[in-house]
Amino acid sequence: MDHFLYRDGVLHVEDTPVAEIAAEVGTPFYLYSTATLVRHFRLFDDALSGMPHLVCYAMKAASNQAILKTLAAEGAGMDVVSGGEYARAKAAGVPGERIVFSGVGKTEEEIAQALTGGIRQFNVESEPEMQVLSRVAHQMGVEAPITIRVNPDVDAKTHAKIATGKSENKFGIPISRARQVYAMAAALPGLKVIGIDVHIGSQLTDLAPFELAYQKVAELTETLRADGHEIMRLDLGGGLGIPYARSNEAPPMPTDYGALIQRTVGHLGCEIEIEPGRLIAGNAGILVSRVIYVKEGEDRQFLILDGAMNDLIRPAMYDAYHDIVPVVEPAPGVEQVAYDIVGPVCESGDTFAKGRTMAPLKAGDLVAFRSAGAYGAVMASEYNSRPLVPEVLAKGDHYAVIRPRPTFDDMINRDTIPPWL
Ligand code: LLP
């Protein structure tokens, strides 16, 4: 459920008409709903309420300071994957002890940054990383709390570009080598082994792969404990999928996911962490865009929008489906037409949908891409020198621009001219 609903025939974000915001901010722009963000966070938090736990929002999904502050105020921790994300989390007021550091390529600088600013744990992904972490922590005279990310070789049954839990993926250490690598970690200075980490992929619409992976983690916990390691925390990753098309079957609910966690690892007495990104932010955001032209092709009609692949890359990159709805609700029973929905960027890949049937639209009409809150604004670029798409956050009947659209001068003045020109 989200808070983007038609009221009196016009799309609202919570209590504000979307068209009112478009008139002030201009299009395209991302628009988030506070109530939806909070609701989704609480669903996870409640789903784990029977166990000691921390929900660490995977801020790669949407990392605007206002979004982080909204979630941090609810008690969210953060899952970060770069020095930039760590700095953003700290700037939003998240204390180090609520930040976990994931990612396959943490640099020495990033490791030192997190050790200096405080960190809940590093999720270590390889032996060489473990050695660097040990050296940096030892030199700084501190102990780095670590989990080791294991790759359980489970098929997440999701898009190949976002599956991470198969042995051919670059993530984690093979679970078959876990005992050896934990033994190595225990012997290294500057490290304190505290748990196990796993993350098998994103946009999972079936719970079965989670179940398989978490069973393997439960077995590994017992084995490692028998080997003398103190395993007190399990980071179970993110990945729960969302419905992108309203006609689709509903993916599993966080409550079912929470029950699965309880069932598979609840008996171990570990503190549980999860790292959801998409399910918290995805349906809490839309991309609002305006029709520039309706163009007649030879055998099709093109709807040319002012939003483009640089603003929302998911359809071009993953063939992702997003519902695209008119901001003014069509009259019931109106005859539908098929459109190829495209942006103005000079590539055929700048196509959001082909043959999408919807009520007829004309130049000047507003449309909303639903489910665009996660991996939308964060993956935007200025390709074709289109200024970075702005972001707006709504709450009840207020809204605020949380990242303004850069002017052309802002864009140009970021470049610097070498002395010979
Ligand atoms: N934890 C780790 C270690 C991850 O790599 C990810 C996502 C998450 C948590 C959060 O997963 P989520 O709950 O959001 O599924 N750009 C792609 C998605 C990439 C996901 C990368 N890792 C897309 O637009 O579909």
Side-chain angles (χ1 to χ4, degrees):
M1 199 219 127
D2 60 51
H3 292 77
F4 297 95
L5 297 171
Y6 289 112
R7 270 197 222 162
D8 303 324
V10 292
L11 190 66
H12 279 63
V13 53
E14 303 193 11
D15 300 325
T16 307
V18 169
E20 184 182 315
I21 306 175
E24 188 188 316
V25 176
T27 50
F29 66 98
Y30 278 93
L31 175 58
Y32 306 97
S33 149
T34 299
T36 315
L37 283 169
V38 167
R39 177 174 183 278
H40 290 165
F41 171 77
R42 289 184 186 162
L43 280 176
F44 279 115
D45 207 30
D46 292 347
L48 297 183
S49 59
M51 296 166 267
H53 69 274
L54 183 65
V55 178
C56 294
Y57 168 60
M59 59 179 276
K60 63 169 77 70
S63 55
N64 189 291
Q65 291 290 292
I67 292 176
L68 302 187
K69 276 179 176 283
T70 300
L71 293 170
E74 289 292 311
M78 297 291 154
D79 169 50
V80 308
V81 292
S82 68
E85 285 195 349
Y86 180 87
R88 278 189 173 279
K90 290 300 287 280
V94 182
E97 63 266 23
R98 300 178 85 79
I99 303 177
V100 303
F101 207 139
S102 300
V104 290
K106 302 174 199 80
T107 63
E108 284 198 39
E109 292 73 27
E110 288 172 327
I111 288 169
Q113 176 192 4
L115 285 173
T116 307
I119 192 79
R120 180 177 181 82
Q121 94 221 8
F122 290 92
N123 294 332
V124 171
E125 297 230 13
S126 65
E127 287 108 314
E129 182 198 346
M130 200 163 82
Q131 273 149 359
V132 170
L133 181 54
S134 161
R135 175 164 50 74
V136 176
H138 189 59
Q139 276 164 4
M140 290 174 68
V142 295
E143 246 190 358
I146 66 160
T147 71
I148 296 176
R149 177 168 175 182
V150 292
N151 185 323
D153 197 20
V154 164
D155 183 354
K157 301 202 171 68
T158 184
H159 190 286
K161 283 189 183 153
I162 53 175
T164 54
K166 284 288 286 173
S167 57
E168 72 248 31
N169 300 130
K170 67 182 175 184
F171 300 96
I173 57 140
I175 199 161
S176 54
R177 274 224 326 273
R179 288 181 77 184
Q180 208 181 316
V181 180
Y182 271 86
M184 193 190 283
L188 282 170
L191 301 183
K192 180 167 171 46
V193 172
I194 55 158
I196 306 175
D197 172 45
V198 71
H199 170 79
I200 56 173
S202 193
Q203 185 55 15
L204 273 72
T205 50
D206 178 6
L207 288 179
F210 286 119
E211 180 128 25
L212 273 177
Y214 297 170
Q215 276 163 357
K216 289 191 179 194
V217 168
E219 277 167 35
L220 181 63
T221 305
E222 313 261 19
T223 310
L224 293 176
R225 281 178 173 169
D227 286 349
H229 301 286
E230 204 183 337
I231 303 297
M232 53 191 190
R233 196 179 281 167
L234 300 179
D235 182 333
L236 300 175
L240 200 58
I242 62 170
Y244 274 96
R246 268 173 296 174
S247 48
N248 269 9
E249 267 177 64
M253 289 293 292
T255 39
D256 299 328
Y257 177 65
L260 182 156
I261 291 176
Q262 177 70 260
R263 187 165 74 240
T264 48
V265 299
H267 59 287
L268 297 165
C270 288
E271 186 181 12
I272 303 299
E273 287 165 357
I274 53 169
E275 305 166 348
R278 190 188 311 266
L279 203 145
I280 291 180
N283 282 323
I286 61 175
L287 172 67
V288 182
S289 183
R290 197 179 287 280
V291 178
I292 312 177
Y293 298 116
V294 182
K295 173 172 167 174
E296 289 293 334
E298 191 163 47
D299 57 353
R300 62 193 66 212
Q301 288 203 78
F302 294 99
L303 206 57
I304 303 177
L305 304 181
D306 64 0
M309 65 190 288
N310 69 297
D311 304 310
L312 177 65
I313 193 93
R314 302 195 67 259
M317 190 151 174
Y318 314 108
D319 296 317
Y321 179 99
H322 284 264
D323 262 346
I324 303 171
V325 299
V327 165
V328 175
E329 193 174 23
V334 68
E335 202 172 321
Q336 308 257 308
V337 282
Y339 291 117
D340 278 15
I341 305 178
V342 302
V345 161
C346 305
E347 296 199 25
S348 297
D350 187 21
T351 298
F352 293 120
K354 284 196 166 159
R356 183 74 62 90
T357 49
M358 55 197 297
L361 287 163
K362 56 181 188 326
D365 287 347
L366 291 170
V367 295
F369 288 75
R370 297 180 57 91
S371 315
Y375 308 110
V378 284
M379 293 180 81
S381 75
E382 290 188 337
Y383 185 40
N384 278 211
S385 287
R386 296 167 43 85
L388 197 62
V389 55
E391 297 179 280
V392 177
L393 179 65
K395 182 174 193 212
D397 59 3
H398 329 293
Y399 64 90
V401 174
I402 57 173
R403 177 182 292 169
R405 191 187 313 277
T407 63
F408 293 151
D409 280 345
D410 291 338
M411 234 180 8
I412 294 163
N413 292 335
R414 282 204 303 262
D415 298 354
T416 51
I417 307 297
W420 61 86
L421 284 178

